[in-house]
Amino acid sequence: MKYTRPAAAAIVVLALATLAAQSQNPPAQQPKPTADPYANNPDPGAANFPLAAPAGKDSGAKNTPPAGSVNTGPFDPATWKYGPAFNPPPGTKVWNPVKMKMIQGDKVTGGTVFSATDPATYCAMANAGYDFIWTEMQHDQRDWGAVARMWRTCPNAKAVPGSRVAYADEREIQHAVDAGALVIVVPTVDTVEEAIEARNWTYFPPLGRRSNGGGQAFDAAMWGGVPGGYRNTINDNIVLILMIETLEGLKNADAIAKVPGVTGIFAASGDLGNFSGFRQGTPDYERAINIVHDAAIKANIRLCGPFAWRDRPDFTCFQAGSETAAIARGVAAELGPLANTQGKVEAGPFVTPAKP
């Protein structure tokens, strides 16, 4: 198509006029996303809450729900139907490899980080080949801030972060899960009530009572970007292991193992000897271990114990040695016959003490 000279001139004039108008009236910028309900409100300070109770008037909500409510009749926590807001999306798959191995019945092993606070040491252990890291918080003095720093340094290491907490309470367990723990180990569980407490603080509603308070577990650098979202899927991915260590725990082992949400029970090799007064291999000791074994089998959950029991029948999850033990084993394997061949001196602090 050919333009005449006057028509072309008119097009140029129109284009210049358009550019001038755009420079005087630049396109409106898209508002930034925000959680503030007033941020993009054309009438600042005012918002519409159609289901809110009328000002200064008793709405009667305790006895009469708003129209369209799922839960009808007088309010009653015992009959409350939990809503779908936190259901995982249809078809969401398990993303915690430890939970997946346990579902499949495969053996899983946790390497113990007992006292280290250096992220480099933690990450070396987490990439050494274990399935999860048993970060020790029952018998060590470090704080949760140090643990959180270690976990967020290498969240996608081969081994997922886990912890043996000190006891079954809200503060201990929520510190662990909010920092990103995917395996929770609870020691000295004696009663069903303690098992339920451990379960409650490990899981979000409706199974548990974990509060939705945030923490680095929700960050994109940790689990914020998992398929289906962290809040909606973590109940299907967390692993909860309860340790049976006392005579009272043995008495209640069957009921403890059947608490919904318990993934496995751990036959505590050291403390079952400590509390029973018998050593491994004696009939009384072996009876105690077999009580834990039977409880796990009857409840169809995982049976856990020390790594030395990896060939013991029906045991499928284990605690391996500490970071210091792993260093010693690694050095011994590396040096072979050159290990422990230090020079001998006759004076000074490195003199080998004479045997008595």
Side-chain angles (χ1 to χ4, degrees):
M1 177 177 179
K2 294 182 178 179
Y3 295 107
T4 63
R5 191 168 292 176
I11 292 171
V12 171
V13 170
L14 179 61
L16 290 172
T18 302
L19 286 171
Q22 288 178 344
S23 64
Q24 292 176 1
N25 301 293
Q29 301 240 345
Q30 290 294 324
K32 293 181 179 179
T34 174
D36 181 0
Y38 298 101
N40 303 312
N41 192 336
D43 184 10
N48 185 25
F49 300 98
L51 296 178
K57 182 180 177 182
D58 186 339
S59 69
K62 197 143 191 186
N63 292 309
T64 307
S69 293
V70 171
N71 292 278
T72 59
F75 175 77
D76 184 357
T79 60
W80 186 266
K81 298 179 180 69
Y82 193 75
F86 299 106
N87 288 350
T92 301
K93 297 181 179 180
V94 170
W95 48 265
N96 178 0
V98 174
K99 188 64 173 280
M100 178 56 70
K101 283 187 78 174
M102 286 188 154
I103 291 170
Q104 294 169 342
D106 296 332
K107 294 182 178 182
V108 302
T109 302
T112 306
V113 171
F114 194 94
S115 57
T117 57
D118 177 20
T121 302
Y122 170 83
C123 292
M125 285 287 286
N127 281 307
Y130 301 106
D131 293 297
F132 70 96
I133 295 300
W134 172 309
T135 308
E136 180 58 41
M137 295 299 284
Q138 181 190 13
H139 291 294
D140 191 73
Q141 293 78 38
R142 78 185 132 215
D143 60 30
W144 281 109
V147 173
R149 282 191 296 275
M150 292 193 298
W151 290 355
R152 68 174 173 257
T153 301
C154 51
N156 298 318
K158 295 175 183 177
V160 307
S163 178
R164 174 162 67 176
V165 297
Y167 35 81
D169 85 337
E170 181 175 7
R171 182 184 188 280
E172 277 294 291
I173 294 177
Q174 289 207 169
H175 271 72
V177 290
D178 286 350
L182 298 181
V183 178
I184 295 294
V185 182
V186 182
T188 55
V189 176
D190 290 340
T191 65
V192 171
E193 290 74 21
E194 285 181 70
I196 292 172
E197 279 288 287
R199 187 275 312 279
N200 280 350
W201 303 123
T202 300
Y203 289 88
F204 282 118
L207 181 57
R209 296 189 60 201
R210 179 184 172 190
S211 66
N212 200 9
Q216 70 181 28
F218 293 80
D219 294 348
M222 291 287 287
W223 320 129
V226 297
Y230 176 78
R231 168 61 182 87
N232 292 51
T233 63
I234 188 59
N235 274 12
D236 293 329
N237 284 275
I238 199 80
V239 170
L240 174 61
I241 299 170
L242 305 182
M243 299 188 73
I244 306 298
E245 308 192 65
T246 66
L247 300 182
E248 190 73 13
L250 290 174
K251 174 185 172 184
N252 297 311
D254 285 355
I256 289 169
K258 291 176 182 176
V259 170
V262 175
T263 317
I265 52 175
F266 192 107
S269 57
D271 262 323
L272 279 173
N274 179 40
F275 283 95
S276 70
F278 292 92
R279 296 191 182 279
Q280 181 174 333
T282 63
D284 294 270
Y285 181 95
E286 297 303 327
R287 179 186 186 185
I289 302 303
N290 289 341
I291 288 172
V292 183
H293 166 277
D294 297 348
I297 297 303
K298 285 183 277 191
N300 194 30
I301 62 173
R302 301 301 97 199
L303 176 60
C304 308
F307 187 61
W309 292 357
R310 58 192 178 275
D311 295 323
R312 190 168 179 137
D314 295 320
F315 279 79
T316 58
C317 73
F318 311 97
Q319 179 196 16
S322 69
E323 70 273 34
T324 52
I327 291 169
R329 290 193 304 271
V331 172
E334 180 182 38
L335 294 182
L338 294 179
N340 295 312
T341 57
Q342 295 83 10
K344 306 297 182 184
V345 295
E346 295 181 356
F350 297 103
V351 174
T352 304
K355 294 183 179 179

